[in-house]
Amino acid sequence: MNWQQLLSTKRFGEVRYHGRKLDERTEFNRDYDRIIFSSAFRRLQNKTQVFPLPGSIFVHNRLTHSLEVSSVGRSLGTDVARRLIDKHPGLRDSHLWESGAIVSAACLAHDLGNPPFGHSGEKAIATFFSEGNGLKYKSQMPQAEWEDLIHYEGNANTFRLLTHHFNGRREGGFALTYSTLASIVKYPFPSLLAGKKLKFGFFQSEWETYRTIAGELGIEPTDEEGRTYMRHPFVYLVEAADDICYEIMDIEDAHKLKLLSTDETLGLLLGFFGKDRQALYRTALDGIADMNEKVAYMRSCVISELESACVNLFVDNEEKILAGQFSGSLVKNLSGSLREGYGRCEEVSYSRIYVSRDVSGIELAGYKIISTLIELYVEAAMTPDRAYSRLLLSRVSSQYNISEGTMYDKILGVLDFISGMTDVYALDLFRKINGESIPII
């Protein structure tokens, strides 16, 4: 892969731009603006990140998380570009200087395809087909399509949301640049290769779309069958921004919710640094009285340190990354106190945070709500002429084509509809269907 080809302003779904620019925005800044002004992005404010949507204490939702990831991503892209242009002066007039805008836009969009109720929403969809009543549809579609359902993946759904031609919408979905779209695909292979634990990057319905984008950007396949591809280099930066934000911000949220004490939280954050740096930070913390502010101060120091280390790793391994030979994520390749500090945060997250009653409560509710909605709407899609089916389908936007095409097409249409719901909308629809919420006439 080479930088000149990897950085393209060509837009998916647009053959040629016939108008004239009315402002001085770059094409990659236009990507960012298209995403942030979209209804799909606005809906993230009402989707769970890890903890239930806030009551008296405000914790992160998908929208605030995406904004923070985008901010860190912009820093990563900008700093990497500066270093690489110094390293390769011939790239000074290329689009490499816009790396911050590309990575920032990709980060902003990275969670758009996630269904309601956090990661439990993905599990609920997958297990409905692999273990639940959805098993009856297995014999009615090819294995490759079935794998999409039993391994349902928010990352793949993000790529679909951004590129699919929904009814009444324009060609190319969001019509983003090829470079921004490629930077979102963390797992550039289909579900057939996902196995039991691995994630995947695109459904069968978008496989040809990804091949088109990869071919345009010079992203090469890594196997003879052309089923798996190298990652676009900026995927590593998007992934690093996400890894940094969700791990560190989950720790801060846990402190606000009193799942972790102030001493425990500060100990975890100070653990990213050696003894000398810890002593300096402890002195600075002595001058801050507010406990939440102490945590916020250390959180910012940790994020800054991780960002700088990931930039160094990327630049030092540029040749391997371009050759598709870099193994693992940037965060997983950290060393010393940063690696140890991140590892301790991961251990605490899995042992104290993700198993908390609040988090498991959301998972239980999500499973029931999503499984019920899928079952009813898939049945309605198969029998659209029934009276009850017509009532259910009347709630579905015309952009989702859920009663035409193959079995796979209909089910994906239903999942498009459900994954686009906010937590509150899904709960409200579930209650109405079950007669628990009746409109006052």
Side-chain angles (χ1 to χ4, degrees):
M1 295 184 287
N2 68 84
W3 288 115
Q4 295 284 8
Q5 190 173 1
L6 285 165
L7 304 173
S8 170
T9 58
K10 183 175 180 179
R11 294 190 174 279
F12 182 71
E14 291 186 1
V15 177
R16 184 176 299 145
Y17 179 68
H18 295 287
R20 70 180 178 88
K21 286 187 178 182
L22 300 177
D23 55 52
E24 296 303 317
R25 290 178 298 164
T26 68
E27 293 302 322
F28 304 118
N29 282 326
R30 289 173 185 272
D31 282 349
Y32 184 95
D33 294 345
R34 288 186 183 192
I35 295 164
I36 205 167
F37 281 99
S38 69
S39 58
F41 184 76
R42 287 195 297 277
R43 286 195 293 269
L44 294 180
Q45 69 181 308
N46 210 203
K47 286 193 176 186
T48 299
Q49 172 63 15
V50 171
F51 298 103
L53 294 174
S56 59
I57 299 175
F58 192 85
V59 292
H60 286 81
N61 55 36
R62 288 282 177 185
L63 185 140
T64 53
H65 168 71
S66 296
L67 289 169
E68 289 170 349
V69 174
S70 183
S71 177
V72 173
R74 175 173 276 109
S75 296
L76 285 165
T78 300
D79 291 346
V80 161
R82 187 182 301 114
R83 294 274 300 277
L84 290 181
I85 288 172
D86 287 343
K87 184 178 177 181
H88 308 294
L91 293 174
R92 193 172 302 277
D93 294 328
S94 72
H95 288 295
L96 188 60
W97 66 272
E98 296 185 75
S99 300
I102 300 171
V103 177
S104 182
C107 288
L108 198 68
H110 83 284
D111 268 352
L112 287 182
N114 281 64
F117 307 109
H119 292 296
S120 63
E122 292 173 292
K123 295 177 186 176
I125 293 172
T127 55
F128 174 80
F129 294 102
S130 64
E131 303 173 8
N133 292 339
L135 267 170
K136 62 186 177 183
Y137 300 113
K138 180 177 181 181
S139 61
Q140 302 179 51
M141 64 185 70
Q143 185 63 30
E145 295 177 350
W146 181 248
E147 294 288 332
D148 283 352
L149 304 182
I150 63 174
H151 295 295
Y152 187 84
E153 170 58 42
N155 291 286
N157 196 47
T158 293
F159 189 69
R160 175 176 170 83
L161 175 64
L162 294 173
T163 61
H164 185 67
H165 183 202
F166 291 97
N167 287 346
R169 302 299 180 92
R170 65 179 167 188
E171 292 281 351
F174 280 50
L176 300 180
T177 61
Y178 281 30
S179 294
T180 295
L181 288 170
S183 299
I184 293 167
V185 184
K186 291 171 63 176
Y187 312 102
F189 47 81
S191 59
L192 273 172
L193 305 180
K196 291 184 178 180
K197 295 183 179 180
L198 290 177
K199 296 176 178 289
F200 63 98
F202 39 83
F203 298 127
Q204 290 294 313
S205 53
E206 281 71 52
W207 193 351
E208 286 304 320
T209 294
Y210 184 77
R211 282 176 167 168
T212 298
I213 292 170
E216 177 74 21
L217 299 179
I219 300 174
E220 300 175 5
T222 59
D223 65 341
E224 293 182 359
E225 294 82 8
R227 299 184 301 171
T228 64
Y229 285 80
M230 297 179 183
R231 282 177 154 192
H232 188 289
F234 287 166
V235 168
Y236 290 99
L237 302 182
V238 174
E239 180 180 47
D242 189 27
D243 287 347
I244 291 169
C245 287
Y246 81 71
E247 192 59 64
I248 305 308
M249 300 314 299
D250 285 354
I251 295 295
E252 183 174 8
D253 280 348
H255 173 257
K256 288 183 177 179
L257 293 170
K258 303 188 185 308
L259 294 174
L260 298 175
S261 69
T262 300
D263 287 344
E264 287 176 310
T265 306
L266 291 177
L268 286 170
L269 298 177
L270 285 165
F272 282 84
F273 305 96
K275 291 183 178 179
D276 291 343
R277 293 281 294 281
Q278 285 189 28
L280 290 173
Y281 287 132
R282 288 186 188 279
T283 300
L285 289 170
D286 288 341
I288 304 173
D290 184 270
M291 295 304 172
N292 286 329
E293 191 61 25
K294 285 178 184 282
V295 171
Y297 170 75
M298 282 309 307
R299 173 256 297 156
S300 68
C301 295
V302 171
I303 289 178
S304 178
E305 194 74 9
L306 289 171
E307 188 272 344
S308 179
C310 286
V311 169
N312 290 336
L313 273 170
F314 187 96
V315 175
D316 291 345
N317 290 279
E318 178 200 6
E319 288 78 15
K320 285 185 178 180
I321 289 172
L322 289 174
Q325 298 172 353
F326 186 77
S327 178
S329 67
L330 293 175
V331 165
K332 292 299 183 185
N333 279 276
L334 294 170
S335 59
S337 59
L338 289 179
R339 176 62 255 173
E340 293 170 7
Y342 195 92
R344 281 190 290 269
C345 285
E346 284 184 312
E347 291 172 7
V348 169
S349 294
Y350 284 103
S351 64
R352 300 274 300 280
I353 298 175
Y354 303 148
V355 295
S356 71
R357 291 177 64 87
D358 286 343
V359 174
S360 61
I362 278 291
E363 291 186 353
L364 286 171
Y367 267 86
K368 180 63 175 178
I369 293 168
I370 288 182
S371 296
T372 300
L373 294 179
I374 293 175
E375 182 162 19
L376 290 174
Y377 272 95
V378 170
E379 182 65 24
M382 304 306 164
T383 57
D385 294 329
R386 292 180 181 175
Y388 187 53
S389 295
R390 290 197 297 271
L391 279 175
L392 289 170
L393 296 175
S394 69
R395 303 296 297 260
V396 181
S397 168
S398 60
Q399 69 175 301
Y400 303 118
N401 189 2
I402 71 173
S403 56
E404 295 180 11
T406 65
M407 172 75 69
Y408 174 73
D409 294 331
K410 293 176 182 178
I411 291 178
L412 274 192
V414 170
L415 297 183
D416 288 335
F417 171 54
I418 293 174
S419 67
M421 294 179 183
T422 64
D423 293 18
V424 172
Y425 182 88
L427 175 59
D428 180 62
L429 183 58
F430 173 80
R431 285 174 171 169
K432 283 184 169 65
I433 286 172
N434 283 280
E436 299 171 14
S437 175
I438 301 175
I440 299 175
I441 301 175

